[in-house]
Amino acid sequence: MDKPKKLLVLTGGGDCPGLNAVIRGIAKRARKEKDWDVYGSKEAFNGVFADPPELIKLTRSKTAGIHVKGGTILKTTNKGNPINFPQKQPDGTIKFVDRSEELVKRIKELGFDAVINIGGDGSQKISQALFKKGLNIIGVPKTIDNDLSSTDMTFGFQTAVQIATDSFDKLVTTAESHDRVMIMEVMGRDAGWIALHTAIAGGAEICLIPEIPYNIHKIVKRINSRYKNGHGFVNIVISEGAKPKDGIIVATKGSAGSEHVRLGGVAYQLSQQLKDAGCKAEIRETVLGHVQRGGSPTAFDRVLATLFGVKAMELLLEGKFGRMVALKNNSIASVTLEEATEKYNFVSKDGELVKAAKGLGISFGD
Ligand code: F6P
């Protein structure tokens, strides 16, 4: 029998419920072929850079039953971009260097015939750059933020919305008991999909998202009208990346080696702004944070992630490299990595969902 071919799988960027289901989908589909061995690189491409390389053979026992588990058995990082790699200098400072040529060379030297990169927008930009450098690579989109435009949905999003909605429901009953204004902050750096879906699913009065900068006085007006109408409580959902008109997003410096600022805390900023603008109601803030990214994926996300994994393996068998799997009109399709990364999936201010939310009386503060 010929030597089996070698596939390298990795997860990059923030984790997301469903990553393990993709890994299992790829491994199971590959096993049917008999001539493919599947390996995982630990912590995105860092496993390839490590000396000795940190690679895990994805045998049956390593992938059995993992579709139910949150996180990623391969571990992940957002400090491992090979094109902008954070390298510690002798004086302790960090310099960002391009290690992509070295990476492609190492992957080939390790005997890999193909790579499947499971990751968000940033990771797929990396896939595209590596493809251009001659790597046989296929992308699988992931993100709880649902901000990739070339797929109708990413896995992880449904799970995040479910977690946010469950939390929102709990805040409604306590808001009602105390006649309070409750602010719940959810993830969503640049796109407000989680907030918008949660606001509709939970029945929020106010929804604040990055795409629609808010006017604080309009929000106070909406709160006051609720109290006047005999309803003594208000529930607000806000995306971490939401900002007031002419204002700035609450952000802190990312940890060493990270390419991004850290968001989180807009709920407290909004609370103060409401008080400053004359809101008399009692206000409480909840920042959901990483709870939205943890735990077991919903059944929908398990199915989507598994189908993405199987499709990625099938694209590979057909030799269709430089592509990313995608959900398109209810079927599992693929797009070029170039197309996959050229546009960002923002919530449209005039879109169907915002219109429907407004029709329900949800205020966006605009
Ligand atoms: O991109 C997904 C995301 O969940 C964002 O919504 C959030 O700002 C970010 O990840 C948080 O990343 P980290 O885990 O590095 O804090």
Side-chain angles (χ1 to χ4, degrees):
M1 196 177 130
D2 287 341
K3 223 168 93 192
K5 293 182 211 113
K6 281 171 74 178
L7 162 65
L8 185 69
V9 178
L10 61 131
T11 51
D15 72 345
C16 170
L19 287 171
N20 285 327
V22 182
I23 296 168
R24 175 174 165 275
I26 295 168
K28 277 183 90 83
R29 181 64 186 84
R31 247 171 252 141
K32 280 196 82 174
E33 294 304 311
K34 312 242 181 326
D35 56 346
W36 279 92
D37 278 346
V38 185
Y39 292 80
S41 167
K42 259 184 126 178
E43 232 193 40
F45 286 112
N46 288 351
V48 176
F49 283 131
D51 191 14
E54 292 192 55
L55 307 174
I56 308 166
K57 191 165 182 189
L58 295 172
T59 56
R60 194 180 299 273
S61 68
K62 284 272 182 328
T63 58
I66 61 169
H67 57 300
V68 176
K69 267 185 82 178
T72 160
I73 60 160
L74 295 178
K75 300 202 178 283
T76 188
T77 180
N78 43 26
K79 294 177 200 159
N81 180 350
I83 304 158
N84 210 15
F85 195 84
Q87 210 163 51
K88 209 162 181 188
Q89 302 301 296
D91 64 358
T93 57
I94 288 190
K95 202 174 141 199
F96 288 92
V97 293
D98 184 354
R99 295 184 73 186
S100 55
E101 294 278 354
E102 179 194 342
L103 177 72
V104 173
K105 196 165 159 265
R106 282 177 91 117
I107 291 174
K108 289 185 177 169
E109 276 167 6
L110 288 165
F112 286 106
D113 299 282
V115 175
I116 297 180
N117 187 10
I118 314 166
D121 180 54
S123 299
Q124 300 317 333
K125 283 189 176 128
I126 295 169
S127 301
Q128 166 67 357
L130 298 176
F131 176 63
K132 277 183 154 171
K133 286 195 169 11
L135 197 68
N136 288 340
I137 193 163
I138 286 162
V140 176
K142 73 86 218 180
T143 160
I144 63 161
D145 290 359
N146 201 34
D147 53 11
L148 274 110
S149 63
S150 52
T151 179
D152 294 348
M153 203 177 288
T154 50
F155 62 86
F157 171 65
Q158 286 266 342
T159 306
V161 170
Q162 192 60 55
I163 295 168
T165 303
D166 290 345
S167 309
F168 183 89
D169 292 347
K170 292 179 169 71
L171 289 171
V172 169
T173 58
T174 161
E176 189 171 11
S177 307
H178 286 270
D179 287 345
R180 281 175 175 157
V181 172
M182 285 287 180
I183 304 173
M184 187 176 88
E185 178 180 321
V186 296
M187 280 187 170
R189 288 185 90 79
D190 307 294
W193 294 109
I194 298 177
L196 182 52
H197 280 249
T198 305
I200 294 173
E205 281 71 42
I206 296 160
C207 175
L208 305 174
I209 59 174
E211 294 88 341
I212 309 180
Y214 59 85
N215 175 334
I216 195 71
H217 301 290
K218 294 213 168 140
I219 302 175
V220 174
K221 214 169 144 198
R222 177 78 177 93
I223 292 173
N224 290 343
S225 81
R226 275 278 294 184
Y227 279 85
K228 257 193 223 135
N229 291 342
H231 297 282
F233 68 102
V234 172
N235 283 85
I236 303 176
V237 189
I238 182 168
S239 305
E240 60 182 354
K243 56 180 182 308
K245 280 185 178 144
D246 311 316
I248 51 158
I249 303 174
V250 178
T252 48
K253 206 169 159 286
S255 52
S258 168
E259 292 177 88
H260 302 290
V261 290
R262 253 178 100 176
L263 302 188
V266 277
Y268 298 101
Q269 172 179 274
L270 176 66
S271 176
Q272 193 53 52
Q273 287 166 347
L274 287 172
K275 286 172 203 152
D276 294 345
C279 177
K280 296 281 178 291
E282 216 183 324
I283 309 172
R284 291 291 185 272
E285 313 80 14
T286 301
V287 178
L288 275 195
H290 291 78
V291 84
Q292 292 158 94
R293 270 188 9 205
S296 187
T298 58
F300 179 92
D301 278 341
R302 288 181 205 183
V303 174
L304 184 60
T306 303
L307 296 186
F308 274 0
V310 170
K311 178 73 177 184
M313 189 63 210
E314 281 171 356
L315 285 179
L316 182 153
L317 295 171
E318 289 162 25
K320 291 189 176 157
F321 299 109
R323 301 188 73 80
M324 186 188 84
V325 301
L327 178 70
K328 291 256 183 207
N329 304 322
N330 235 2
S331 76
I332 308 292
S334 73
V335 292
T336 64
L337 283 166
E338 195 168 6
E339 188 189 337
T341 50
E342 67 195 1
K343 242 175 66 211
Y344 194 81
N345 184 25
F346 290 112
V347 170
S348 160
K349 279 184 256 193
D350 315 307
E352 206 182 331
L353 228 56
V354 170
K355 265 198 201 146
K358 286 187 173 174
L360 292 165
I362 298 175
S363 163
F364 288 81
D366 59 339

